[in-house]
Amino acid sequence: MPAGPAVTGPVLGIETSCDETGVALLRWQPEAPGEGLLAHTLYSQIKLHADYGGVVPELASRDHVRKLMPLVRETLAAAGLEPQDLAGVAYTAGPGLAGALLVGASAARAMAWALGVPAVGVHHMEGHLLAPLLEADPPEPPFVALLVSGGHSMLVEVAGIGRYRILGDTLDDAAGEAFDKTAKLMGLPYPGGPALAALAGQGRPGAFRFSRPMTDRPGLDFSFSGLKTQVLLAWQGSDRTEQTRADVALAFEEAIVDTLVIKCRRALEATGAARLVIAGGVGANRRLRAELAAAGDQDGFRTYFPRLAFCTDNGAMIALAGAIRLAHGQHQDATVQVFPRWDLESLPPAV
Ligand code: KG4
Ligand code: ZN
């Protein structure tokens, strides 16, 4: 990354990696990171994709094209700023859907070029794992981050910003993907994760029990696709009443949450870290939040969660991660480049 002057003014953040258009304005203040957020807006494409039971990449790209610039104007107005006030632009450069990423990257690069300010491409998962810094009393590295979204289930050791070591990864389905696919096979509408979690609230404990995959052997990798099959067999062999659907949902949620808690405990023990950050869409799951907080009370580690709105995809986390890098003089040349697959460990440290 070429080094440039440290950017300290307002940074525009743009997220378009999947099915949410997120825009935010943030001024990086190391001494009080949570107070730097000036405005943020989000447009979710959920309704657009619901009929298809999943995200349709081409429709996602076209909708980002329609919604992005109106959201940028709305966010600037909410912060009382003009485009000329921007000191830098940050956008999600990957991983994600190539076409969707290109919409954000092109718009961001064009604005930065027109305004004569630096722009930086942000790793979407770095955005997620730094999202707790948007809150008061943020975690200091070193910490362990559990990143659980629709595309990822990862445990990451964070030695500093940009200094990441992947401790465990998913071998097949990501945690959010497992929620979504399981919900779909029980007939719940897209996106299934939150719907399944809500249904689990009416489930009767103990009615069903599913395995905790890969917890019977050492290691920090995850595998959730077998769980989906267990649910399918249990559901198809049942009376398929509403109560049974809730019972199965609860047993599935318990199995995923238990597995994640066991692996987090192991990761904290292996690294000796005393802080755990939970981020990504599945971080919005209430059972997961409660069980990890309880495990922390028992084992003596502290848990940090972003607010619910910043667990799922949003522009604020991209503005934050980008603003930190711009403040360290990091940006890239003025080319539109995206990375649909991008190794988190390959990022440079922010120093
Ligand atoms: O981080 P995110 O918004 O997008 C990706 O980068 O993937 O995560 C979305 C994922 C979806 O799979 C969704 O079903 C899941 O997060 N999710 C939940 C909950 N809220 C969102 N899963 C379980 N319980 C929830 N409350
Ligand atoms: Zn995400």
Side-chain angles (χ1 to χ4, degrees):
M1 266 192 209
V7 171
T8 51
V11 169
L12 177 71
I14 292 177
E15 156 63 32
T16 63
S17 69
C18 191
D19 59 348
E20 334 264 355
T21 319
V23 177
L25 283 159
L26 179 139
R27 194 193 300 269
W28 171 237
Q29 324 190 120
E31 66 292 346
E35 289 167 25
L37 186 63
L38 305 170
H40 69 99
T41 55
L42 186 83
Y43 177 79
S44 170
Q45 303 178 350
I46 280 177
K47 283 204 193 83
L48 177 70
H49 301 292
D51 287 348
Y52 304 92
V55 178
V56 183
E58 179 60 22
L59 294 184
S61 311
R62 291 186 206 175
D63 214 43
H64 287 308
V65 171
R66 274 191 288 271
K67 296 293 176 348
L68 180 55
M69 291 317 290
L71 275 189
V72 168
R73 281 190 280 274
E74 192 184 320
T75 315
L76 281 166
L81 294 178
E82 299 292 331
Q84 294 73 18
D85 298 323
L86 295 179
V89 182
Y91 57 96
T92 307
L97 303 171
L101 290 166
L102 277 168
V103 176
S106 319
R109 280 286 159 201
M111 276 187 277
W113 179 261
L115 295 167
V117 297
V120 67
V122 171
H123 193 294
H124 182 81
M125 300 315 288
E126 177 172 65
H128 273 305
L129 77 82
L130 296 181
L133 301 190
L134 292 161
E135 308 303 334
D137 193 17
E140 287 273 338
F143 56 77
V144 167
L146 172 70
L147 299 180
V148 270
S149 69
H152 294 86
S153 301
M154 266 191 224
L155 275 161
V156 184
E157 183 178 24
V158 178
I161 291 171
R163 295 172 60 208
Y164 309 128
R165 187 164 72 94
I166 296 175
L167 303 167
D169 208 339
T170 181
L171 303 181
D172 39 58
D173 291 351
E177 195 179 359
F179 264 97
D180 294 339
K181 287 181 176 171
T182 303
K184 197 172 178 178
L185 66 85
M186 287 204 293
L188 296 177
Y190 166 86
L196 192 141
L199 192 61
Q202 282 128 52
R204 294 171 300 185
F208 289 88
R209 186 183 159 85
F210 302 121
S211 61
R212 278 58 176 150
M214 295 184 65
T215 54
D216 57 350
R217 66 197 94 161
L220 295 168
D221 287 333
F222 305 97
S223 165
F224 291 122
S225 72
L227 205 48
K228 196 177 57 201
T229 314
Q230 288 181 39
V231 171
L232 181 65
L233 292 175
W235 174 240
Q236 286 183 340
S238 76
D239 56 9
R240 302 198 204 181
T241 58
E242 275 310 301
Q243 184 59 55
T244 301
R245 186 150 56 175
D247 293 345
V248 172
L250 173 61
F252 169 80
E253 190 184 54
E254 283 175 343
I256 292 247
V257 167
D258 256 15
T259 306
L260 293 174
V261 171
I262 291 168
K263 301 276 170 155
C264 284
R265 282 181 139 150
R266 280 189 198 166
L268 286 155
E269 200 183 313
T271 55
R275 288 176 282 272
L276 176 70
V277 157
I278 297 96
V282 183
N285 186 275
R286 288 179 197 281
R287 177 178 301 275
L288 180 66
R289 294 168 89 95
E291 300 269 320
L292 282 173
D297 289 344
Q298 261 178 26
D299 295 6
F301 62 83
R302 235 191 106 176
T303 48
Y304 296 84
F305 305 91
R307 75 192 78 165
L308 290 177
F310 294 161
C311 274
T312 45
D313 290 349
N314 64 86
M317 67 185 196
I318 302 304
L320 173 79
I324 294 174
R325 294 207 170 265
L326 288 166
H328 287 86
Q330 296 183 353
H331 63 270
Q332 292 108 7
D333 293 333
T335 53
V336 177
Q337 217 186 351
V338 296
F339 308 94
R341 292 174 156 275
W342 190 0
D343 178 9
L344 185 66
E345 288 182 343
S346 71
L347 296 183
V351 282

